[in-house]
Amino acid sequence: MVLIGGLAIIQQNGGFTDTGMAYWAWAVVSVLGLAFVHAQTMGMAMLVSLVQENVTNLPQSASMNRTTRDRTQP
């Protein structure tokens, strides 16, 4: 929505002409594109972090020696 909305605003302000783009429109489109790609990258990183298991979620190793003092009392 931000990318398409930004391009529509540039069009309304005369940034896209029959002969090409205005110089200021190049800068605005570049910034909009960078923001769009950054948002895609951050969104994907957030999705991967939700799926990836943390080390602390792993079960404890069976080779650990436990005594009755190590267990929590109800």
Side-chain angles (χ1 to χ4, degrees):
M1 295 301 284
V2 172
L3 182 64
I4 301 298
L7 293 175
I9 291 171
I10 293 170
Q11 174 66 29
Q12 288 176 351
N13 290 322
F16 303 119
T17 63
D18 293 336
T19 59
M21 290 174 58
Y23 290 112
W24 62 268
W26 277 102
V28 175
V29 168
S30 297
V31 170
L32 285 173
L34 287 172
F36 182 73
V37 171
H38 177 70
Q40 283 182 319
T41 305
M42 291 302 296
M44 191 62 199
M46 289 179 198
L47 286 174
V48 169
S49 70
L50 289 174
V51 174
Q52 188 178 18
E53 289 186 16
N54 294 330
V55 176
T56 56
N57 290 341
L58 297 176
Q60 291 184 355
S61 175
S63 64
M64 291 180 62
N65 295 327
R66 291 185 164 240
T67 63
T68 55
R69 285 181 272 133
D70 293 339
R71 296 185 188 144
T72 57
Q73 299 295 326

